Amino acid sequence: MSDNAITVPPEIANAIDTAHRIAVITHVAPDGDAIGSCLGLTHLLRNLGKDAIPVCQDPVPYIVNWLPGVEEFVRKAPADVDLVISIDLSSIDRMGDAYDAGTLGHIPLVNIDHHVTNTYFGHVNWVEPRAVAACEMVYHLALAFGYPITPQIATYILTGLLTDTRGLRTANVSARVLRVVTHLVELGAPIGEITELTFNRRPLAIVKLWALALPNLRVEPEGIIWLVITEAMRQEAGYDEPGDGGLVSFISTAEEAYIGVVFTEKPDGTVNVSMRARPGYDVARVAFALGGGGHPQAAGATIDGPLDTAVQRVIHALREALTEQKAARAAVPQPAHAGK
Ligand SMILES: [Mn+2]
């Protein structure tokens, strides 16, 4: 195997071997990778004879609501488990109400994640930022320990891998990743059907929400493109799920932009900040400074409102970060293909 092979800590197999009832918890406001990795791991464990429960505080988003088994999610981990595995989350609070430290704090916690901002909060921590998705880690885990990957598990894993790479369109998609994809297809994951259901389909209410939000698009001189989604817009559009349905990725395609941001006002008055950066630029550090996390090219945080104050604070931080990053890039000769 090439030098970028991903290895799995054997401690994880030991933890699984001795456990009987396992809560597999993923993050609040789940995305496709959260749901896919959580269900994929849950089903791997069940096929080993374990009693495994997928747990997520928030509902499954429409993008992956077609996956079999999404109705099995519970909102809160039961207290009588003997192992907790967290998947696709960088800090313990990202489990939200799904993890009650009062009842579960003494139970072994295995932290499996691919976010560079991970805080190593588990008893066993497998943090692999080279993995393009938590789902890729589930794949390597299954292979390393000889856990069988059924067609249904391959479907979960490939779905999350495709969502976190936006359909294999992110800069981190390497030959290794394509080998994983090929193997998952060989194992029975229907890639064409997954792509159709996941990427070529959204509720009409989202299209209406975009129509309401886009007239207020703003562009900062540094190359930051942003807009806000207010609670009123969400109500008018009739879209009641969290998230922006991919709007931040859409506005970030403007070629004048280095960074794209969508601010979403939440019913409780907090503001969700979702950010994207072109390859070579980094929004993860700003997200981390705001109390959130993510990857250099895609990161987010939830911060205090009101909306106007939140926008000013984040745009100010991003202008400073972008100016610094441009200066750092200017100091080093860049290859011609390395972006703007
Ligand atoms: Mn992920």
Side-chain angles (χ1 to χ4, degrees), residues 53-97:
I53 308 134
V55 190
C56 185
Q57 176 198 285
D58 293 323
V60 172
Y62 76 88
I63 185 168
V64 290
N65 65 4
W66 57 272
L67 282 169
V70 290
E71 69 285 348
E72 291 173 17
F73 271 96
V74 301
R75 300 289 175 94
K76 196 172 186 333
D80 62 347
V81 295
D82 53 9
L83 178 65
V84 175
I85 303 179
S86 68
I87 184 105
D88 196 34
L89 54 97
S90 54
S91 59
I92 201 157
D93 56 289
R94 292 276 292 157
M95 289 188 273
D97 297 336

Side-chain angles (χ1 to χ4, degrees), residues 26-70:
T26 195
H27 59 78
V28 299
D31 53 18
D33 186 34
I35 299 299
S37 62
C38 191
L39 286 175
L41 186 52
T42 295
H43 283 257
L44 281 175
L45 296 170
R46 285 181 184 167
N47 290 347
L48 299 173
K50 309 294 177 180
D51 180 8
I53 308 134
V55 190
C56 185
Q57 176 198 285
D58 293 323
V60 172
Y62 76 88
I63 185 168
V64 290
N65 65 4
W66 57 272
L67 282 169
V70 290

Side-chain angles (χ1 to χ4, degrees), residues 263 286 289-291 303-304 308-318:
F263 298 90
V286 169
L290 293 168
I303 63 174
D304 290 337
D308 289 351
T309 314
V311 168
Q312 279 180 26
R313 181 177 161 212
V314 173
I315 295 296
H316 178 78
L318 285 172

Side-chain angles (χ1 to χ4, degrees), residues 5 18 32 39 71 80 90 104 124 131 143-144 155 160-161 179 188 194 221-222 225 232 244 248 254 259 292 330:
T18 53
L39 286 175
E71 69 285 348
D80 62 347
S90 54
L104 297 173
V124 176
L143 243 59
T155 300
L161 190 155
R179 280 193 294 271
I194 294 171
E222 291 86 353
I225 192 163
D244 63 25
V248 67
I259 290 173

